[in-house]
Amino acid sequence: MKRADHQLETDFEQLPGRNSQRDRIIAAARKHFFTRGLRGVTMDELAEELGMSKKTLYVHFPGKAALVKGMLLQKFREVETDLEVIEQNKTLGFHEVLHELMATLHRHTAEVQPPFIHDIQRESPEIFQFIESRRRVTFRRHFGRLLAWGRRSGVVRKDIPLKLIMEIFLGAMQSVANPPKLIELGITPKACISAIITVILEGVVTGEGRSKP
């Protein structure tokens, strides 16, 4: 992890613990920031919506940057918790876990709309890089364990590096399973994820096609 990323990680983990008022603020921020971006929402608007003074808001978050950090930390924790729950479900087989993991990642990713990413990338590039780094680490951790399990079980081929398989999955999710592309293609997130899994695991050529020279 780069030094800047490590510092952000430390900053995030050192944020105060949860309490009801902080949670209310973060919930309101997520609803607006993730949809409208940073420029589309002011701290004054948030305070008014929450029915609290701006001074009270700043007691918990001294500025918009601190609020974004708190918001992202909560988001990352939710993602990790949801993925862990899926992995610990011993009633699911390899393919079921794979579908559940990818569907969960998509659900969380779908909450974050283009205006937020655009504003973060332009105004806080270090936070944007941290988000990208954290996302890749999370994907590699959970899908790495799944693929390793699949390989031990004889479900995943041994002649293709696991790291390469993970990068293919990650690339497909980033480039195809995002709101603008789904609208362009006219398909649902569930159908998109199912297609990605099918193409990567089974290919696009039929059994008859593979049998032909």
Side-chain angles (χ1 to χ4, degrees):
M1 182 179 289
K2 296 180 181 179
R3 186 172 181 178
D5 289 345
H6 178 73
Q7 183 59 52
L8 274 171
E9 182 83 37
T10 300
D11 290 345
F12 278 28
E13 298 302 336
Q14 287 180 346
L15 288 171
R18 297 183 62 178
N19 65 53
S20 58
Q21 198 164 54
R22 282 176 56 85
D23 287 350
R24 284 185 61 227
I25 296 171
I26 288 176
R30 283 176 63 159
K31 182 174 65 175
H32 296 300
F33 285 158
F34 280 155
T35 303
R36 296 158 54 189
L38 300 184
R39 292 193 169 196
V41 187
T42 67
M43 297 293 273
D44 287 332
E45 289 175 315
L46 287 175
E48 182 178 355
E49 177 178 323
L50 291 164
M52 65 176 61
S53 68
K54 192 174 178 181
K55 181 178 179 180
T56 301
L57 180 59
Y58 279 118
V59 166
H60 295 285
F61 299 100
K64 190 177 286 188
L67 179 52
V68 169
K69 288 181 180 180
M71 186 177 71
L72 291 173
L73 175 59
Q74 185 188 76
K75 179 70 169 174
F76 291 139
R77 285 174 174 168
E78 288 178 0
V79 171
E80 288 287 349
T81 297
D82 288 350
L83 296 180
E84 290 288 350
V85 168
I86 295 169
E87 289 184 9
Q88 291 171 11
N89 188 343
K90 303 304 181 183
T91 67
L92 300 178
F94 175 84
H95 287 80
E96 293 171 312
V97 172
L98 178 58
H99 275 273
E100 290 293 327
L101 289 180
M102 293 192 75
T104 298
L105 281 179
H106 182 272
R107 173 169 55 82
H108 280 288
T109 301
E111 182 185 4
V112 183
Q113 297 297 307
F116 176 80
I117 296 298
H118 180 266
D119 286 352
I120 284 290
Q121 191 172 16
R122 180 176 54 188
E123 300 179 17
S124 301
E126 72 285 355
I127 294 181
F128 176 79
Q129 290 301 321
F130 174 75
I131 293 172
E132 290 294 294
S133 175
R134 183 77 175 250
R135 187 158 60 113
R136 293 178 73 85
V137 167
T138 298
F139 185 93
R140 286 168 176 159
R141 178 188 301 123
H142 294 280
F143 281 81
R145 291 199 293 241
L146 174 63
L147 291 172
W149 171 43
R151 177 161 288 181
R152 290 193 303 270
S153 304
V155 177
V156 176
R157 290 169 54 170
K158 296 182 178 180
D159 59 329
I160 302 176
L162 292 183
K163 289 184 178 180
L164 177 57
I165 298 174
M166 283 190 287
E167 289 302 315
I168 292 173
F169 267 117
L170 184 59
M173 288 292 287
Q174 290 177 323
S175 62
V176 180
N178 59 73
K181 183 59 68 172
L182 291 174
I183 293 174
E184 177 186 332
L185 295 174
I187 59 176
T188 65
K190 183 177 181 179
C192 178
I193 291 171
S194 179
I196 289 174
I197 293 174
T198 299
V199 169
I200 293 176
L201 295 187
E202 301 176 16
V204 296
V205 179
T206 65
E208 180 183 356
R210 284 193 292 270
S211 67
K212 293 181 178 180

